[in-house]
């Protein structure tokens, strides 16, 4: 499998008896990334790990394998569980480094860079404020068993800065850092549209070479070395001077796979719809149609807005989440989203807490519903 996405909270700001606030994990072959960590994330993470142990032998969620935390914005239902969970991982004696990434505004970025205070007009939920607090409250290598980097981005202008551990200062980075061990997967922020600086997060696997044409190699009577060279992308010249081009021995390159988690946003966020394809789009659907005005007022999406976004970014599958506490049952937003998608090839499902979505290497997508006793299709 290419990705195994665990969605541990599907409520919007106010949790309900069945739904907790935001927090997801994307597992890929090189490591795992947490997208948002609202209140109680440490408990939900531990529960999911326990459930995997009980019901899905062979699949684990190791804290040591979490390479990055990507925050979509500073609202507390997406961030307030981070520090306690960082401390839980320290009690588990984690020692691998952790990268924390999040968005800020152009103004706050400039103030930080000039060693000025965070401007008063910046919202209370500004991530720069939270990063400073968390660092001072023990979110640093001295207090934790593992090194941690706090990195904020001005997403619009692709500028990145890192909070220094000792002094109250920052330094600018060349670009957005990636988890240090990752070679075949990439994290990518996508600009969204919310009441505070925000972004969606995409994990993208590297595109792969097309299949090597063995028949053609046999017809040309190539030896092992010649085949190896062509297979690794090198053109070769035969003894008689004939040139053979690697590209002629490969099928069409296979696209990398893309998983996106939107965070909170109005529909048709520019960073998402700029894409022309993605495999899995997990998109907020805070409101149903009869509350569409609220979606506009608070820069959230309706279920139909999530569906319109899925169409625009060429998604193969849309999974909706982040329901308002007024939404009693996800059947209603699901039907609304499906009504927009009925003439498209896009499949759609509604997430509940604990659900997983698997993206296979061939692009097949399976929603695994948590049923209290394991996962069912
Ligand atoms: Zn939210
Ligand atoms: Zn929000």
């Amino acid at each position: 499998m290419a990705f195994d996405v665990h969605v541990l909270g599907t409520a919007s700001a106010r949790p309900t008896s069945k739904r907790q606030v935001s927090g997801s994990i994307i597992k890929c072959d090189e490591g795992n990334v947490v997208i948002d960590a609202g209140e109680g994330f440490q408990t939900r993470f531990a529960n999911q790990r326990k459930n995997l142990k009980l019901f899905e032998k062979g699949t684990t969620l190791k804290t040591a394998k979490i390479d990055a935390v990507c925050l979509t914005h500073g609202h507390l239902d997406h961030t307030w569980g981070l520090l306690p969970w960082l401390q839980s991982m320290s009690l588990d004696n984690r020692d691998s480094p952790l990268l924390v990434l999040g968005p800020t505004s152009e103004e706050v970025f400039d103030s930080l860079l000039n060693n000025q205070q965070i401007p008063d007009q910046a919202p209370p939920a500004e991530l720069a404020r939270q990063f400073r607090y968390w660092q001072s409250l023990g979110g640093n290598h001295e207090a934790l068993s593992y090194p941690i980097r706090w990195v904020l981005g001005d997403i619009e202008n692709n500028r990145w800065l890192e909070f220094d551990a000792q002094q109250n200062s920052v330094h600018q980075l060349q670009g957005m850092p990636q988890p240090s061990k990752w070679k075949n997967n990439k994290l990518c922020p996508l600009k969204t549209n919310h009441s505070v600086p925000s972004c969606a997060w995409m994990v993208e696997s590297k595109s792969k070479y097309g299949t090597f044409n063995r028949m053609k190699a046999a017809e040309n009577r190539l030896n092992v070395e010649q085949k190896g060279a062509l297979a690794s992308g090198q053109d070769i010249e035969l003894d008689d001077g004939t040139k053979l081009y690697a590209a002629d021995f490969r099928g069409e390159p296979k696209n990398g796979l893309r998983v996106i988690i939107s965070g909170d946003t109005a529909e048709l966020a520019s960073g998402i719809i700029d894409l022309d394809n993605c495999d899995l789009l997990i998109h907020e659907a805070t409101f149903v149609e009869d509350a569409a005005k609220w979606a506009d007022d608070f820069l959230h999406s309706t279920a139909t807005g999530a569906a319109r976004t899925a169409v625009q970014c060429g998604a193969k599958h849309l999974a909706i989440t982040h329901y308002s506490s007024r939404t009693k049952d996800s059947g209603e937003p699901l039907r609304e989203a499906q009504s927009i998608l009925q003439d498209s090839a896009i499949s759609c499902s509604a997430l509940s807490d604990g659900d997983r979505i698997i993206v296979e290497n061939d692009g097949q997508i399976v929603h695994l519903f948590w049923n209290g006793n394991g996962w069912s299709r």
Side-chain angles (χ1 to χ4, degrees):
M1 114 199 22
F3 299 110
D4 180 1
V5 186
H6 297 247
V7 178
L8 305 188
T10 58
S12 58
R14 187 154 37 140
T16 67
S17 59
K18 292 210 188 88
R19 299 186 189 279
Q20 298 297 311
V21 292
S22 294
S24 301
I25 304 145
I26 303 178
K27 284 186 73 172
C28 65
D29 52 355
E30 292 180 300
N32 307 339
V33 48
V34 163
I35 314 286
D36 286 339
E39 185 185 328
F41 185 75
Q42 57 179 348
T43 312
R44 288 181 275 142
F45 184 90
N47 278 341
Q48 190 80 352
R49 202 163 53 168
K50 188 188 73 194
N51 287 336
L52 285 170
K53 234 182 222 162
L54 283 172
F55 302 108
E56 198 87 327
K57 297 245 157 20
T59 310
T60 53
L61 265 184
K62 293 204 177 96
T63 48
K65 290 244 169 106
I66 309 271
D67 295 317
V69 177
C70 297
L71 300 171
T72 61
H73 65 298
H75 282 150
L76 298 188
D77 57 314
H78 295 255
T79 65
W80 207 232
L82 180 57
L83 185 63
W85 176 63
L86 296 181
Q87 287 169 337
S88 287
M89 290 200 292
S90 188
L91 295 171
D92 284 347
N93 291 320
R94 175 201 166 97
D95 57 10
S96 45
L98 184 73
L99 175 64
V100 184
L101 299 164
T104 188
S105 66
E106 218 176 316
E107 297 74 37
V108 170
F109 192 99
D110 287 333
S111 309
L112 291 170
L113 216 53
N114 295 322
N115 282 318
Q116 291 160 357
Q117 297 286 324
I118 297 165
D120 287 342
Q121 65 272 24
E126 166 58 49
L127 277 176
R129 298 187 203 283
Q130 296 184 44
F131 278 24
R132 283 249 155 97
Y133 278 125
W134 293 335
Q135 261 192 323
S136 69
L137 290 170
N140 59 66
H141 195 185
E142 258 168 53
L144 299 170
S145 60
Y146 52 91
I148 184 164
R149 295 180 71 186
W150 297 94
V151 175
L152 270 188
D154 161 13
I155 307 295
E156 183 115 53
N157 302 300
N158 193 22
R159 297 186 298 166
W160 296 87
L161 56 77
E162 179 166 1
F163 286 63
D164 299 326
Q166 305 303 336
Q167 322 91 330
N168 224 0
S169 64
V170 300
H171 63 275
Q172 191 162 359
L173 302 170
Q174 290 295 337
M176 192 191 89
Q178 294 285 332
S180 53
K181 292 173 299 182
W182 289 23
K183 304 237 158 16
N184 301 321
N185 296 278
K186 203 172 76 179
L187 289 168
C188 188
L190 308 172
K191 194 173 160 33
T192 53
N193 183 12
H194 195 38
S195 49
V196 294
S198 65
C199 64
W201 286 96
M202 174 165 77
V203 184
E204 182 176 32
S205 67
K206 218 176 178 177
S207 54
K208 293 209 169 78
Y209 290 132
T211 318
F212 187 68
N213 192 333
R214 288 168 194 281
M215 288 286 282
K216 191 169 175 145
E219 281 162 18
N220 283 277
R221 297 173 194 281
L222 301 180
N223 63 33
V224 176
E225 273 145 48
Q226 290 166 325
K227 281 193 271 191
L230 288 167
S232 66
Q234 288 172 43
D235 302 333
I236 59 168
E237 194 172 324
L238 300 180
D239 291 342
D240 65 2
T242 317
K243 275 210 149 188
L244 295 180
Y245 298 96
D248 296 336
F249 284 77
R250 286 276 178 203
E252 282 292 300
K254 291 178 186 139
N255 270 340
L257 294 164
R258 291 171 162 180
V259 171
I260 299 171
I261 297 187
S262 74
D264 291 3
T265 180
E267 66 178 82
L268 301 176
S270 60
I272 301 178
I273 64 170
D274 276 353
L275 301 172
D276 53 12
N277 72 82
C278 84
D279 294 274
L280 170 61
L281 173 65
I282 295 180
H283 201 284
E284 73 128 291
T286 309
F287 297 110
V288 288
E289 219 44 38
D290 71 356
K293 190 189 169 305
W294 290 4
D296 292 341
D297 287 355
F298 298 113
L299 296 171
H300 278 292
S301 296
T302 56
T304 59
R308 284 185 285 272
T309 309
V311 171
Q312 288 300 316
C313 71
K316 280 197 198 134
H317 185 86
L318 167 69
I320 53 170
T321 182
H322 199 273
Y323 317 105
S324 148
S325 54
R326 295 171 74 248
T327 306
K328 292 290 170 259
D329 159 19
S330 61
E332 191 182 358
L334 180 61
R335 281 188 295 279
E336 290 182 354
Q338 280 168 337
S339 73
I340 300 290
L341 301 176
Q342 58 188 353
D343 295 327
S344 77
I346 305 170
S347 51
C348 181
S349 58
L351 285 156
S352 293
D353 290 24
D355 284 3
R356 293 159 60 199
I357 301 187
I358 309 280
V359 181
E360 300 284 3
N361 285 321
D362 64 2
Q364 237 192 90
I365 293 165
V366 184
H367 188 141
L368 297 174
F369 298 87
W370 171 244
N371 61 25
N373 267 313
W375 287 269
S376 42
R377 284 173 179 243

